Amino acid sequence: MTVDDHDVAGFQGLMKSLNLDSDQFKEYDATKFPTYSFQELSNLKLEIESQLRILFNLLSQKYGADMETNLVTADGFPRNDIDVVTIRLIRVQIIRLKNDYKELLKVIDSKMEEEFAKRQTEVGNNHDQTKTESRSSQSEPTIPFAQVREVISGGPAQTAGLKEGDLIVIFDNDIHALNHDKLSKLVERVRSKPGEKLHLKIKRGGEALNLVLDTSVTWDGKGIGCRIIPV
């Protein structure tokens, strides 16, 4: 049994011990994605997103951890105040799914380009708006990558309508779960756009919201007026 096989077996055993259906957490072969129809790819996208939501919630709500939580003490020993083995198994599965999700979005984009190229040949150039809307609805990530904490009164974050606990799905139109690079891209974007408006897509209690973060808001503090942590 390889290390990967051991992780898979351990994860399946964990799901059963939590009374969760281990069959809903699948292993994917990304090399087969290009052979799927567009509808199959769309269904697969929803399937992976559902699995990721369950695992992220399990990681944070049951085990009090996230993808960045240290699993060892300062002197290099496993922590005894958290379930290190279980957290690691869940993280490994999340990483696998995120990698599959990233490859899936690439294939969906490619399929979209092929489909629109065919339509352009058939009906000309009158479908630009349809193309934009379809690409947005089919390939846009929906998995949160960051959470809002400590919203300061009077700051840009509060003015934009952000609240404690909001989950950020897309930041400034193109920063999301697959490319935020441990939030460094988000920080760089804020610093590179002083005084500009940044468009955010967030989730709050299961509801999807679009907000505008205006960094030109005058206030007594620094930054955007809240703390943002990875999920």
Side-chain angles (χ1 to χ4, degrees):
M1 178 178 286
T2 66
V3 173
D4 282 349
D5 290 338
H6 181 76
D7 285 337
V8 170
F11 178 78
Q12 291 174 342
L14 170 64
M15 293 298 100
K16 290 179 181 178
S17 71
L18 295 172
N19 294 320
L20 294 173
D21 182 7
S22 61
D23 291 338
Q24 70 178 308
F25 299 98
K26 302 176 182 178
E27 296 295 314
Y28 299 98
D29 183 355
T31 63
K32 294 182 179 179
F33 290 165
T35 68
Y36 296 163
S37 69
F38 187 76
Q39 186 58 54
E40 288 173 326
L41 291 170
S42 298
N43 292 339
L44 193 58
K45 175 176 176 287
L46 295 175
E47 186 177 281
I48 293 177
E49 288 172 351
S50 175
Q51 293 179 59
L52 284 170
R53 277 193 294 271
I54 292 172
L55 293 176
F56 275 122
N57 288 337
L58 186 64
L59 192 62
S60 62
Q61 296 176 13
K62 186 173 179 63
Y63 296 101
D66 55 37
M67 298 299 286
E68 305 298 325
T69 301
N70 286 327
L71 301 183
V72 296
T73 61
D75 49 2
F77 291 97
R79 290 173 56 180
N80 59 14
D81 60 324
I82 57 176
D83 190 339
V84 172
V85 174
T86 297
I87 292 171
R88 179 187 174 278
L89 286 172
I90 295 174
R91 280 181 173 180
V92 168
Q93 186 67 10
I94 287 175
I95 291 171
R96 282 201 182 100
L97 286 172
K98 288 177 72 174
N99 288 338
D100 289 336
Y101 190 72
K102 185 175 182 178
E103 293 303 313
L104 180 66
L105 290 183
K106 290 180 182 178
V107 175
I108 288 177
D109 274 345
S110 177
K111 293 276 187 180
M112 291 289 290
E113 293 292 347
E114 292 175 5
E115 180 63 23
F116 284 117
K118 291 178 182 178
R119 292 185 184 181
Q120 191 171 33
T121 300
E122 295 172 357
V123 300
N125 299 318
N126 296 324
H127 62 280
D128 288 345
Q129 183 64 31
T130 301
K131 176 177 179 178
T132 300
E133 293 174 354
S134 296
R135 285 177 61 86
S136 175
S137 63
Q138 293 295 340
S139 62
E140 185 177 85
T142 60
I143 299 298
F145 69 92
Q147 186 177 56
V148 176
R149 296 282 184 86
E150 301 172 14
V151 179
I152 302 174
S153 178
Q158 185 191 53
T159 303
L162 284 169
K163 296 182 179 181
E164 177 92 14
D166 283 348
L167 296 171
I168 299 176
V169 178
I170 300 178
F171 189 89
D172 197 28
N173 297 321
D174 61 1
I175 298 175
H176 48 73
L178 300 178
N179 66 5
H180 66 88
D181 194 17
K182 298 182 179 180
L183 300 187
S184 64
K185 295 288 182 64
L186 186 151
V187 175
E188 291 171 5
R189 185 64 56 84
V190 172
R191 289 175 177 171
S192 68
K193 289 189 171 183
E196 296 188 33
K197 294 181 179 180
L198 309 176
H199 294 267
L200 281 62
K201 175 170 284 189
I202 69 165
K203 285 187 177 180
R204 178 185 298 159
E207 181 182 7
L209 300 172
N210 293 306
L211 301 178
V212 178
L213 180 65
D214 188 352
T215 61
S216 68
V217 171
T218 301
W219 71 302
D220 295 332
K222 296 181 179 180
I224 61 175
C226 71
R227 189 161 68 94
I228 296 178
I229 64 170
V231 297

